[in-house]
């Protein structure tokens, strides 16, 4: 295990770094036991599976045991003394902060491959502004490097200097923070009390995390894990929510000086190979911030370090991953910042020029992983990968030694399907073992893991596995990087993942199942070797693996850029001169800018000509309007934020309707169950008819949500009345939950999806309060039923109408929503139109039931029809004998199946379009 360092020169060839050496522990040829197995690829599986017509098994399931222990740990070591320019006082503070570290943890840390390169990493960070670190999965880079830097004194107590670590996903940010807190002898940040002021300072430890809607940091935090989105929020800075276009230039300049991440001494950008849109934004902004802080510091030193000015430190950047094009990232940070050069805010030209020059970026490679991973591929391509995954899990369960299983799947629906199948077959395993005279297999504990799960629901994944039980984690690619799930020994990889693909011009966004890249496949395999030697079973052939692309397609070339452009403009950045690692598609970028101008978020500002600069033309630039500033402060898409602002202007009732609708539309799945069986589908349509609103799908979804809340309140009232008597409270509450569950089943309402919606709704409610967007349920006395639980995704949550203090609360029932309050949701649809003006369409007289957008910039010449699932589909309207005028519609998205369809559609009035056109 060694750490090789290659300094990145201004002109480097690929040979200077070379390709990543293939570790023998990550690739195993066909098993030597292959000939010993029967022709069936599932020879050791239950007989009910061995003779299935599906014969796509794993190439040679090994018969050898996979028991291997961790390398022998060295003798107990004392905590290494920190070395930093701060001197003895700083060293004493660090030693005192880490005095609670368990010596056994020090031993386990010393066994990690990255420990041998600790001093080389610290030296490289001290001597260079940017460092690129590559380390194999399981080398310990994500958890250990922040601790190395803290022990070396990169985080100071006064003034506050933190080590920030970014992660693409919130599950990774929270789980890593909790693990590093344990290793540093600090309290768990997830259980940080919700206190403020001095009490909050005393309560917190050195390690914290910040994710969307959840901040688990205090004034004591020095190692901070956060999602890319949260560090982007910090980069935006403390911007005034009120701004006019005339004062935009001044406001943006002041805001730009407030988003230099001055409280961070080191920013670690982890898992950069995933290349999400936010990761690309963080990379570009970090490059500019680093150069600007360097220039400001040099200017401060050149002026004699004036005492009346606060000292600005330089920012160190570390880019790391298990699989990464090192030269590309090193070259990106080595070259000058085009954004800083095009829009400089530093007045000292000499300091700016010195700071924005080419730099040397060292590339460090941490070789070795702690445990080996054996690889196995199928001999033939799988015809149905979900069935192959089921077979493989069962075969591992009955034939391999104890150890948990991680199965990579494409989405929530596939996870739920496989979970039901595993639960069904696992119940039959004891009978099979008795018939075959085999030992009774362990119990199976199924644990799903996907983004929509709340923190409490995902505790089952990260908690300890009960005795005589094998845990099977069914996960999307959320488990691909960074996070370590305890006990995982076996990985089953389907080789697929769902990705959103956006087509500029037509504005059609499709969720497609696509093959993963080779780097992603290696990351998935690495999940098996985190705690001991593991095995990875790929449901595709070796030849198919070699045909996979080396790296995934960056999100920036396949997604809508409107949100990214809005964020950049809020930070005073020009999207056309921004430091993009990959330049976005010009057509897509132009379309996003035009969309934001259409929403009133951006304006084109042309400064007056400079009479002294003869022959030079004034350069027009994009500036944020007052509406755009408000939109930038709302963590939802630009279309939703614009609709929410428009709704607030129409009154608190409309604001609440739009806020709730955004929560429904932001959920990962529909709140209505769509059965595949034809008979049940007709039954579901009849049940759905009780919610259908004549204006279309948006109001119908709201009616479903409000009907659920009304039923929850009714159940809560009954529960409270019965529990006040002689009845057992727990029994009564259980009966209430069962009653609400039965209501959902009878009305084909997806209860888990509704709970997720209510969780998002609570978060949006807090945001609206912060941004002074008044809703008619803001008063504490009208708190709705879902506030009875923090985690609305947990299966055990009850939607009772009793809050934490036992006070019963009420909510307006669906009949009031549909009758007295707003019969046709006019204000809601008008507000949606202001944010979705590009999604308005008119019926085409030349083709029956065909529509075309009103905006030529978004899909000129393309026509589409209403999706069959919509309440406004012609077949459903004919069945109901409805005579609604659908000459103008508003839709949420276009999807392409056999043809292009509009989904989630509502009726709008053509006069509203004329009014908007006149206003703009």
């Amino acid at each position: 295990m060694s750490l090789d360092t290659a300094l990145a020169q201004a002109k480097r060839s690929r040979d200077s770094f070379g390709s990543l050496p293939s570790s023998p522990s990550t690739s195993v040829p066909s098993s030597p036991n292959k000939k010993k197995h029967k022709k069936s690829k599932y020879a050791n599986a239950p007989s009910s599976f061995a003779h299935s017509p599906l014969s796509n098994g794993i190439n040679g399931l090994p018969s050898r045991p996979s028991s291997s222990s961790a390398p022998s740990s060295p003798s107990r070591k004392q905590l290494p003394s920190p070395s930093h320019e701060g001197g003895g006082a700083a060293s004493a503070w660090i030693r005192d902060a880490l005095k609670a570290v368990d010596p056994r943890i020090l031993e386990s840390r010393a066994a990690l491959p990255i420990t041998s390169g600790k001093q080389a990493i610290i030296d490289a960070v001290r001597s260079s502004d940017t460092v690129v670190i590559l380390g194999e999965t399981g080398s310990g880079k994500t958890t250990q490097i922040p601790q190395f830097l803290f022990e070396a004194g990169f985080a100071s107590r006064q003034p506050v200097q933190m080590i920030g670590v970014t992660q693409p996903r919130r599950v990774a940010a929270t789980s890593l923070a909790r693990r590093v807190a344990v290793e540093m002898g600090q309290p768990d940040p997830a259980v940080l009390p919700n206190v403020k002021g001095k009490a909050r300072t005393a309560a917190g430890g050195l390690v914290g995390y910040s994710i969307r809607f959840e901040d688990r940091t205090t004034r004591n935090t020095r190692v901070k894990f956060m999602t890319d989105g949260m560090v982007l929020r910090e980069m935006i800075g403390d911007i005034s929510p009120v701004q006019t276009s005339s004062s935009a230039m001044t406001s943006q300049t002041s805001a730009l000086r407030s988003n230099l991440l001055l409280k961070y001494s080191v920013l670690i950008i982890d898992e950069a190979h995933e290349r999400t849109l936010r990761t690309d934004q963080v990379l570009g902004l970090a490059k500019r911030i680093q150069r600007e802080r360097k220039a400001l510091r040099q200017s401060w030193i050149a002026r004699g370090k004036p005492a009346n000015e606060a000292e600005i430190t330089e920012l160190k950047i570390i880019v790391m991953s298990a699989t990464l094009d090192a030269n590309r990232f090193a070259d990106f940070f080595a070259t000058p910042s085009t954004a800083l050069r095009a829009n400089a805010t530093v007045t000292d030209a000499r300091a700016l020029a010195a700071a924005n020059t080419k730099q040397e970026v060292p590339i460090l490679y941490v070789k070795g992983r702690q445990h080996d991973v054996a690889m196995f591929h199928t001999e033939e391509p799988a015809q149905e990968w979900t069935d192959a995954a089921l077979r493989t899990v069962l075969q591992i369960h009955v034939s391999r030694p104890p150890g948990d299983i991680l199965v990579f799947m494409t989405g929530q629906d596939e996870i739920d399907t496989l979970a039901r199948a595993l639960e069904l077959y696992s119940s039959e395993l004891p009978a099979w073992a008795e018939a075959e005279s085999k030992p009774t297999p362990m119990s199976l504990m199924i644990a799903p893991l996907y983004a929509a799960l709340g923190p409490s629901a995902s505790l089952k994944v990260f908690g300890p596995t009960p005795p005589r039980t094998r845990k099977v984690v069914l996960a999307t690619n959320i488990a691909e990087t960074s996070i370590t799930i305890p006990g995982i020994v076996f990985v089953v990889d389907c080789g697929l993942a769902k990705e959103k693909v956006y087509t500029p011009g037509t504005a059609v966004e499709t969720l497609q199942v696509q093959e993963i890249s080779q780097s992603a496949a290696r990351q998935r395999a690495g999940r098996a070797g985190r705690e001991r030697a593991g095995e990875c079973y790929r449901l595709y052939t070796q030849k198919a693996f070699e045909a996979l692309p080396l790296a995934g397609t960056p999100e920036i070339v396949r997604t809508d850029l409107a949100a990214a452009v809005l964020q950049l403009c809020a930070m005073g950045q020009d999207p056309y001169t921004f430091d993009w690692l990959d330049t976005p598609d010009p057509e897509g970028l132009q379309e996003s800018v035009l969309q934001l101008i259409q929403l009133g978020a951006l304006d084109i500002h042309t400064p007056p000509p400079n009479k002294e600069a003869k022959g030079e033309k004034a350069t027009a630039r994009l500036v944020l309007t007052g509406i755009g500033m408000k939109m930038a402060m709302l963590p939802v898409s630009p279309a939703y934020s614009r609709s929410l602002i428009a709704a607030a202007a129409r009154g608190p009732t409309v604001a609440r309707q739009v806020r709730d609708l955004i929560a429904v539309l932001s959920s990962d799945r529909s709140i209505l169950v769509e059965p595949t069986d034809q008979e049940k589908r007709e039954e579901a349509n009849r049940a759905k008819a009780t919610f259908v609103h004549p204006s279309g799908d948006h109001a119908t979804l709201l009616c479903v949500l409000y009907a659920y809340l009304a039923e929850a309140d009714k159940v809560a009232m009954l529960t409270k009345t019965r529990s006040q008597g002689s009845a057992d409270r727990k029994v009564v509450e259980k009966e209430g939950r069962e009653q609400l569950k039965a209501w959902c089943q009878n009305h084909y309402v997806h209860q888990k999806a509704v709970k997720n919606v209510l969780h998002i709704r609570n978060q949006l409610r807090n945001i609206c309060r912060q941004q002074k967007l008044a809703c008619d349920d803001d008063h504490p006395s009208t708190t709705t039923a879902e506030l009875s639980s923090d985690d609305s995704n947990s299966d055990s949550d009850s939607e009772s109408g009793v809050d934490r203090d036992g006070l019963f609360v009420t909510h307006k029932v669906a009949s009031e929503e549909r009758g007295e309050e707003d019969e046709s949701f006019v204000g809601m649809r008008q507000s949606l139109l202001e944010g979705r003006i590009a999604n308005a369409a008119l019926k085409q007289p030349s083709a029956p039931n065909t529509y075309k957008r009103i905006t030529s910039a978004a899909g000129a010449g393309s026509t589409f029809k209403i999706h069959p699932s919509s309440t406004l589909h012609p077949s459903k309207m004919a069945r109901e004998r409805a005579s609604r005028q659908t000459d103008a519609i508003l839709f949420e998205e276009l999807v392409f199946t056999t043809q292009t369809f509009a989904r989630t559609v509502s009726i709008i009035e053509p006069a509203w379009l004329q009014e908007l056109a006149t206003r703009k």
Side-chain angles (χ1 to χ4, degrees), residues 66 400-404 442 470 489-490 532:
S66 63
R400 306 304 296 136
D404 295 340
M442 297 182 291
R470 191 194 298 271
V489 178
F490 307 98
R532 73 186 206 206

Side-chain angles (χ1 to χ4, degrees), residues 713-741:
D713 286 343
K714 187 172 73 172
V715 169
M717 178 66 78
L718 181 61
T719 300
K720 180 186 178 185
T721 303
R722 293 183 58 193
S723 62
Q724 288 176 345
S726 58
D728 188 309
R729 177 165 185 162
K730 291 184 177 180
V731 174
V732 171
E733 289 180 350
K734 183 178 180 181
E735 291 176 353
R737 290 193 296 269
E738 292 298 324
Q739 181 180 341
L740 189 59
K741 182 179 180 181

Side-chain angles (χ1 to χ4, degrees), residues 410-417 450 452 476 498 668-669 750:
T410 56
Q412 184 175 343
D413 291 336
E414 292 79 8
I415 288 175
D416 291 342
T417 301
Y450 43 84
T476 61
K498 281 186 179 179
D668 290 340
R669 62 163 53 181
H750 204 300

Side-chain angles (χ1 to χ4, degrees), residues 530-740:
R530 304 307 295 264
E531 296 185 349
R532 73 186 206 206
E535 299 169 1
C536 177
Y537 299 89
R538 289 173 172 166
L539 305 181
Y540 45 95
T541 64
Q542 176 72 34
K543 186 176 180 181
F545 169 78
E546 295 170 354
L548 294 175
L550 296 178
T553 304
E555 189 178 5
I556 193 172
V557 300
R558 55 178 174 83
T559 191
D560 185 9
L561 300 176
V565 170
L566 180 62
Q567 286 181 323
L568 291 177
C569 291
M571 290 177 274
Q573 307 293 302
D574 187 340
Y576 293 100
T577 59
F578 182 70
D579 291 303
W580 296 107
L581 186 60
D582 279 316
T583 304
D585 176 52
E587 182 183 356
L589 186 60
Q590 182 73 14
E591 180 182 306
S592 299
V593 170
L594 291 175
Q595 177 185 341
L596 291 172
I597 292 176
Q598 193 175 49
L599 292 176
L602 293 182
D603 197 3
I604 300 177
H605 178 81
T606 304
N610 190 350
K611 297 181 180 180
E612 298 180 359
K614 297 181 179 179
E616 295 185 7
K617 294 183 178 181
T619 303
R621 58 177 299 174
L622 298 171
V623 295
L624 218 58
T625 64
I627 292 177
M629 189 66 68
K630 292 180 181 179
M631 291 170 59
M633 301 307 294
L634 295 170
V636 291
S637 69
Y640 289 159
S641 61
R642 183 67 184 90
S643 296
L644 198 52
I645 293 170
R650 288 183 168 86
T653 297
V654 179
R656 188 246 309 158
Q657 291 175 350
V658 172
R659 181 205 64 196
D660 294 351
L661 181 62
I662 290 174
V664 174
L665 298 175
S666 300
S667 179
D668 290 340
R669 62 163 53 181
S670 173
I671 59 177
L672 288 170
V673 178
E674 299 288 346
T676 55
D677 181 76
Q678 182 63 32
E679 183 178 346
K680 288 188 176 182
R681 187 184 304 169
E682 293 177 358
E683 184 179 343
N685 289 335
R686 289 193 295 270
K688 182 180 177 181
T690 60
F691 306 119
V692 169
H693 193 278
S695 66
D697 299 326
H698 293 95
T700 297
L701 291 172
L702 272 184
C703 290
V704 175
L705 177 64
Y706 293 147
Y708 177 89
L709 289 173
E711 184 67 20
D713 286 343
K714 187 172 73 172
V715 169
M717 178 66 78
L718 181 61
T719 300
K720 180 186 178 185
T721 303
R722 293 183 58 193
S723 62
Q724 288 176 345
S726 58
D728 188 309
R729 177 165 185 162
K730 291 184 177 180
V731 174
V732 171
E733 289 180 350
K734 183 178 180 181
E735 291 176 353
R737 290 193 296 269
E738 292 298 324
Q739 181 180 341
L740 189 59

Side-chain angles (χ1 to χ4, degrees), residues 883-895:
S883 58
R884 283 167 271 176
Q885 295 294 325
T886 57
D887 295 334
I889 61 172
L890 176 71
F891 61 90
E892 279 300 308
E893 62 178 351
L894 290 179
V895 295

Side-chain angles (χ1 to χ4, degrees), residues 331-539:
D331 287 337
F332 173 74
F333 281 97
T335 56
S337 169
T338 57
L340 186 60
R341 189 166 48 196
N343 185 24
T345 59
V346 182
T347 56
D348 191 337
R350 182 175 298 179
L352 181 64
N356 199 24
T357 57
K358 286 188 176 182
Q359 300 176 354
E360 288 187 350
V361 178
I363 302 173
L364 310 180
Y365 175 64
V366 183
K367 185 179 180 181
R369 66 169 72 240
Q370 193 173 12
H371 305 290
D372 294 346
V373 178
M375 307 296 300
F376 302 93
H377 295 81
T378 55
E379 291 183 334
E380 299 293 336
Q383 299 299 321
E384 177 54 55
W385 69 265
T386 53
D387 192 25
L390 172 65
R391 292 170 150 280
T392 305
V393 170
L394 291 171
Q395 187 174 357
I396 293 172
H397 181 54
V398 300
S399 64
R400 306 304 296 136
D404 295 340
I405 305 172
L406 171 61
V407 186
F408 282 98
M409 307 192 70
T410 56
Q412 184 175 343
D413 291 336
E414 292 79 8
I415 288 175
D416 291 342
T417 301
L418 183 58
R420 289 192 296 267
L422 283 173
E423 290 172 354
L424 174 64
Y425 285 117
S426 63
S427 64
E428 300 177 359
L429 287 179
W432 166 84
E434 183 178 355
E436 296 289 329
S437 301
K438 294 181 179 295
T440 303
M442 297 182 291
S443 301
L444 276 181
M445 183 177 76
I446 313 301
L449 179 63
Y450 43 84
L453 282 177
S456 297
S458 60
L459 288 179
K460 187 177 180 182
V461 174
F462 298 99
T465 305
R468 288 285 304 163
T469 303
R470 191 194 298 271
K471 179 166 59 181
V472 181
V473 180
L474 309 179
T476 61
N477 57 354
I478 194 175
E480 192 173 291
T481 56
S482 296
I483 64 173
T484 296
I485 302 175
I488 296 297
V489 178
F490 307 98
V491 166
V492 179
D493 177 17
C494 69
L496 302 169
K498 281 186 179 179
E499 289 185 347
K500 283 188 176 181
V501 179
Y502 179 79
T503 306
T506 63
V508 177
E509 187 175 66
T510 56
L511 189 62
Q512 300 177 359
V513 176
Q514 297 183 339
E515 293 181 335
I516 61 174
S517 63
Q518 290 187 20
S519 64
R522 293 191 180 97
Q523 287 284 79
R524 292 182 174 190
R527 302 298 101 190
R530 304 307 295 264
E531 296 185 349
R532 73 186 206 206
E535 299 169 1
C536 177
Y537 299 89
R538 289 173 172 166
L539 305 181

